[in-house]
């Protein structure tokens, strides 16, 4: 079901928020400690199906074309459906275009595809700075984008969630889908990082 | 640190792989973290937690594991006098009203609805 212009929390999300806000307010749990613990597991939350979508697009040109023209259908073909039928839109990084996705809230964030949103992603400074000074934000992530490269910033909405198709790194010829998917980070699919090749300390190395 | 050795294998089919627990949604990790932190700060013992969880899972079996986890946590927190069922219900309703009133794309602010 599509969003109706206000935020929607599921019954379960409401229960979790109720419990957490009460425990924090009473000083029974420290929100920073909770965040730290959750971050320990952040790569283990959500299916991170997006990495496999990216790897398949690198391997199959026809799939890449389909993904760029009708991302929702192409992603559904991998067996991954959005929670509320929201549309996905995939933007491709190339040697001349670098895409960066921003959004203020996890309710806009396609976690079934990307896994858990990073804490900083929801912060107001990240969002406003990404719009005003995207190159500065990228620099902070150690991502060098040349002056000749156009940086495009995308704001996900309730109806449309963005996913960046990163550039395939060098040194990956002959790798299969699972090995390639192992290189693709969440940050690369948001567009704050590039995918490192296996010799540059990529995740799957 | 006790939380790292808190005995996942005892917890009745906790979804794990070789590296630890796995979650299919962010709320599950939040519920997990709250239980681990309340135990770490001595609000309840691990056997108490295991018993509460077992009572939830009970005859239903371990499918829907994290929903049982959340229900067990709500009940144990109430039983220990940390937050009553009524407080939880009121807070639940406040979050619902806050979400309803928040235009899409804005952070949900609870304070005006308490």
């Amino acid at each position: 079901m599509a969003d109706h212009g206000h935020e929607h929390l599921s019954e379960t999300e409401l229960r979790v928020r109720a419990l957490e806000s009460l425990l924090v307010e009473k000083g029974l749990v420290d929100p920073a400690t909770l965040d730290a613990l959750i971050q320990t597991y952040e790569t283990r939350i959500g299916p991170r199906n997006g990495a496999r979508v990216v790897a398949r697009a690198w391997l199959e040109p026809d799939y890449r074309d389909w993904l760029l023209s009708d991302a929702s259908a192409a992603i559904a073909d991998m067996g991954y459906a959005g929670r509320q039928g929201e549309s996905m839109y995939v933007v491709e990084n190339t040697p001349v275009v670098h895409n960066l996705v921003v959004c203020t809230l996890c309710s806009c964030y396609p976690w079934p595809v990307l896994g858990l949103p990073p804490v900083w992603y929801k912060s107001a400074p990240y969002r406003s700075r990404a719009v005003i000074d995207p190159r500065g934000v990228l620099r902070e992530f150690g991502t060098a984008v040349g002056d000749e490269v156009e940086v495009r910033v995308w704001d996900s909405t309730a109806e449309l969630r963005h996913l960046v198709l990163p550039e395939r790194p060098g040194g990956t010829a002959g790798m299969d889908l699972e090995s390639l998917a192992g290189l693709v980070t969440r940050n690369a699919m948001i567009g704050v990082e590039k995918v490192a090749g296996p010799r540059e300390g990529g995740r799957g190395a | 640190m006790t939380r790292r050795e808190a005995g996942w294998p005892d917890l009745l089919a906790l979804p794990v792989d070789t590296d630890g627990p796995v979650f299919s949604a962010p709320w599950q990790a939040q519920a997990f973290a709250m239980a681990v932190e309340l135990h770490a700060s001595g609000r309840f013992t691990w056997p108490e937690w295991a018993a509460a969880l077992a009572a939830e899972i009970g005859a239903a079996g371990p499918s829907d594991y994290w929903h049982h986890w959340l229900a067990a946590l709500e009940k144990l927190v109430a039983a220990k006098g940390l937050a009553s069922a009524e407080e939880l219900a009121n807070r639940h309703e406040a979050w619902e009203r806050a979400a309803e009133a928040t235009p899409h794309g804005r952070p949900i602010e609870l304070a005006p609805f308490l």
Side-chain angles (χ1 to χ4, degrees):
Chain A
M1 200 171 97
D3 198 280
H4 295 294
H6 60 78
E7 289 301 333
H8 177 80
L9 298 172
S10 74
E11 189 62 19
T12 305
E13 287 166 334
L14 287 168
R15 282 167 62 192
V16 169
R17 282 198 184 219
L19 187 55
E20 184 172 334
S21 63
L22 275 173
L23 294 176
V24 167
E25 204 172 281
K26 290 163 177 269
L28 295 166
V29 298
D30 172 10
T33 314
L34 286 182
D35 277 350
L37 182 60
I38 290 168
Q39 291 224 308
T40 309
Y41 293 105
E42 70 176 357
T43 60
R44 314 176 52 75
I45 299 171
R48 292 191 72 255
N49 296 319
R52 300 183 76 246
V53 170
V54 167
R56 185 171 166 198
W58 286 344
L59 290 170
E60 300 174 27
D62 287 349
Y63 185 76
R64 170 193 161 275
D65 294 346
W66 187 21
L67 188 64
L68 294 176
S69 61
D70 186 356
S72 303
I75 291 171
D77 185 63
M78 301 279 285
Y80 317 140
R83 259 193 311 183
Q84 298 152 358
E86 65 274 11
S87 296
M88 292 291 301
Y89 185 62
V90 172
V91 288
E92 184 182 36
N93 283 351
T94 70
V96 293
V97 175
H98 186 93
N99 295 284
L100 180 62
V101 182
V102 299
C103 178
T104 47
L105 281 167
C106 29
S107 66
C108 310
Y109 181 91
W111 59 261
V113 177
L114 288 179
L116 185 74
V119 170
W120 49 261
Y121 192 76
K122 291 181 275 177
S123 73
Y126 167 73
R127 186 181 178 284
S128 53
R129 286 206 46 226
V131 172
I132 297 163
D133 179 22
R135 287 172 196 274
V137 168
L138 289 170
R139 262 197 307 279
E140 281 172 23
F141 280 91
T143 303
V145 176
D147 289 342
E148 74 287 0
V149 177
E150 180 193 349
V151 175
R152 294 182 188 159
V153 179
W154 303 85
D155 202 346
S156 285
T157 67
E159 292 78 27
L160 192 60
R161 326 260 163 122
H162 293 88
L163 173 73
V164 174
L165 174 57
E167 287 183 274
R168 180 172 174 171
T172 56
M175 285 175 69
D176 65 10
L177 189 141
E178 294 304 330
S179 317
L180 286 171
L183 298 174
V184 180
T185 61
R186 174 198 62 201
N187 284 359
M189 294 186 284
I190 300 172
V192 292
E193 286 171 6
K194 297 183 179 187
V195 176
R199 291 198 187 79
E200 303 163 76
R203 276 166 30 92
Chain B
M1 187 70 198
T2 52
R3 78 159 73 125
R4 294 278 170 271
E5 298 139 17
W8 328 123
D10 303 336
L11 286 177
L12 303 160
L14 175 75
V16 289
D17 62 18
T18 50
D19 293 327
V22 291
F23 310 96
S24 59
W27 70 263
Q28 297 172 354
Q30 286 170 274
F32 170 80
M34 283 189 275
V36 169
E37 286 306 313
L38 288 172
H39 166 256
S41 60
R43 302 294 171 179
F44 47 71
T45 67
W46 205 250
E48 284 174 321
W49 170 244
L53 184 59
E56 284 304 316
I57 292 175
S63 69
D64 219 6
Y65 185 88
W66 292 111
H67 280 104
H68 294 311
W69 181 286
L70 176 59
L73 187 57
E74 287 168 337
K75 286 184 187 160
L76 189 54
V77 155
K80 290 284 177 183
L82 305 176
S84 70
E86 190 187 357
E87 283 179 297
L88 283 173
N90 289 340
R91 185 53 65 91
H92 181 292
E93 200 197 320
W95 273 113
E96 193 164 22
R97 279 183 280 131
E100 283 279 329
T102 304
H104 176 78
R106 302 258 179 80
I108 302 173
E109 304 243 12
L110 180 63
F113 299 91
L114 287 177

